[in-house]
Amino acid sequence: MPTYQLKVNGVSKTVDVSADTPVLWVLRDHLDLVGTKYGCGIGQCGACTIHVDGVAMRSCSLTPSQVEGRSLTTIEGLSENNDHPVQQAWKEVDVPQCGYCQAGQIMTASAFLEQNPDPSEEEVKNAMHGNICRCASYTRIRTAVMTAAQNMD
């Protein structure tokens, strides 16, 4: 099997995996970072969203060779004490019901707010559109993103 050097949450990691192994499974099965969730496996639901060089991407659709030499951030690496403004807003608004999609939602929202720190509600709705919530907590998700935007430094 090929060997890949990945930088995950600021730490260099070496993994020996098949070239076609999705990054999602590298994170979960080889690096024990299980906060990133499997949802659909085809990049449509957003549960597996991570940051690649600060851009929200679906880890189920990426291979190790596509991310080698790039900076990967998972939900575990978003903040040391779960104190990122988006994570704080999630708690304040009490967003989760089942919670399964939340890591992907938070990772999408945090990358979006880095690019657009003062969004309109319509921009938030559009940015979060690709993340599916089975519990339909979309109103609370949008409220939390707007709350985080107000609290970002």
Side-chain angles (χ1 to χ4, degrees):
M1 277 191 273
T3 300
Y4 299 94
Q5 290 291 328
L6 304 179
K7 185 176 180 185
V8 182
N9 299 330
V11 179
S12 293
K13 302 282 186 176
T14 302
V15 294
D16 296 316
V17 295
S18 297
D20 61 349
T21 302
V23 169
L24 169 65
W25 299 118
V26 173
L27 295 170
R28 291 182 60 79
D29 294 347
H30 299 273
L31 300 178
D32 295 321
L33 295 169
V34 295
T36 304
K37 303 298 184 199
Y38 173 80
C40 66
I42 59 172
Q44 297 297 307
C45 75
C48 69
T49 302
I50 63 170
H51 296 172
V52 180
D53 293 333
V55 176
M57 300 182 85
R58 309 297 201 240
S59 63
C60 72
S61 299
L62 298 169
T63 61
S65 65
Q66 291 174 304
V67 299
E68 193 168 33
R70 300 172 78 184
S71 179
L72 308 182
T73 304
T74 67
I75 190 70
E76 293 92 344
L78 186 60
S79 65
E80 286 188 34
N81 299 311
N82 296 318
D83 59 359
H84 186 281
V86 175
Q87 292 170 311
Q88 291 299 312
W90 243 248
K91 293 175 197 170
E92 181 181 327
V93 175
D94 196 24
V95 172
Q97 284 189 40
C98 82
Y100 197 82
C101 71
Q102 298 310 303
Q105 300 276 0
I106 289 169
M107 295 305 286
T108 298
S110 60
F112 166 68
L113 290 175
E114 284 297 319
Q115 298 299 312
N116 186 352
D118 188 26
S120 68
E121 287 192 38
E122 189 65 26
E123 289 170 322
V124 169
K125 183 178 178 181
N126 289 336
M128 301 304 294
H129 177 72
N131 287 72
I132 295 171
C133 175
R134 294 177 188 176
C135 303
S137 296
Y138 299 113
T139 301
R140 288 196 312 265
I141 289 167
R142 285 192 297 275
T143 300
V145 176
M146 293 300 291
T147 299
Q150 293 170 0
N151 295 332
M152 302 256 318
D153 297 324

